[in-house]
Amino acid sequence: MAKPADDLVFVAAIAGAHGVRGECKVKSFTGEPEAAFGYGPFLDGTGKVLFTPKRWRVAKDAFVVAFKEPMTREQAQSARGTKLYVPREALPELEDDEFYHSDLLGLKVQSLDGSPMGRIKAIHDFGGGDLLEIVDTPDRKGAWMIPFTAEQVPHVSITDRLVTIAPLEEVEGDKERDEASGE
């Protein structure tokens, strides 16, 4: 039976085929990357079972996974880009100040004074902690990022689908350089 999309959490994606035996390279997006394979079968976005992990091993930048479902190399390669979901109830309980990235995507963003600041497009971690990528900010072209810290993001309401931010103040050197260049 298919589950409503709200009950599913995106945890991994197939990055392509590995070898000739139908194994896949899988990129995990869970806090503990190997944990993605212990949450049960992977589902598609509608809740239909796609693949059940049988064994996996760490590879250079992903995992090499053999699934219980038989797969040829060609089938594994054609599955590239497939998003893998699990039911929300299969995941561990979160602390009050923890959030699944998939729950944050699309949330409206406002400043401390309630001014609209756009919406969350993505969450990135380049090694220094999570960054929220914000788009559709009034009077601003393109995307920008803010650290996902309690200081910079003091309030998150999944229920209200709203995030309140305290944007970083402009760095003095940047402001002086902008004024000197006439920007």
Side-chain angles (χ1 to χ4, degrees):
M1 181 172 168
K3 296 204 169 277
D6 290 348
D7 290 344
L8 301 176
V9 178
F10 172 52
V11 295
I14 296 179
H18 179 83
V20 295
R21 297 186 184 150
E23 292 179 314
C24 293
K25 288 186 284 187
V26 175
K27 178 78 174 156
S28 173
F29 300 107
T30 55
E32 295 177 28
E34 199 163 334
F37 306 105
Y39 297 134
F42 290 126
L43 312 174
D44 68 9
T46 67
K48 179 182 167 214
V49 173
L50 289 177
F51 306 111
T52 307
K54 183 166 64 174
R55 10 173 241 288
W56 55 90
R57 64 186 182 278
V58 176
K60 183 179 178 182
D61 56 352
F63 290 87
V64 175
V65 181
F67 295 109
K68 289 182 182 178
E69 297 77 9
M71 190 181 300
T72 65
R73 176 178 171 69
E74 291 74 24
Q75 290 170 319
Q77 191 58 32
S78 69
R80 183 178 187 191
T82 301
K83 292 182 176 182
L84 305 171
Y85 300 83
V86 296
R88 184 176 297 277
E89 65 265 11
L91 299 171
E93 191 70 29
L94 294 174
E95 298 292 323
D96 287 340
D97 61 345
E98 293 181 325
F99 307 94
Y100 290 119
H101 286 187
S102 60
D103 291 338
L104 298 172
L105 298 177
L107 294 187
K108 291 181 183 174
V109 180
Q110 71 178 12
S111 65
L112 290 172
D113 67 5
S115 302
M117 297 295 290
R119 66 177 174 80
I120 298 173
K121 178 182 178 186
I123 296 98
H124 303 282
D125 186 346
F126 302 110
D130 288 336
L131 297 169
L132 300 180
E133 181 180 353
I134 300 173
V135 296
D136 301 334
T137 303
D139 301 323
R140 188 177 202 153
K141 286 186 177 183
W144 59 285
M145 296 189 197
I146 187 168
F148 190 32
T149 63
E151 182 179 305
Q152 297 302 308
V153 185
H155 182 72
V156 175
S157 175
I158 301 298
T159 305
D160 295 333
R161 307 229 5 101
L162 184 67
V163 173
T164 302
I165 63 170
L168 294 167
E169 295 298 321
E170 206 170 9
V171 177
E172 281 302 312
D174 290 345
K175 188 174 182 180
E176 291 168 9
R177 188 174 50 249
D178 289 348
E179 288 172 356
S181 66
E183 290 185 24

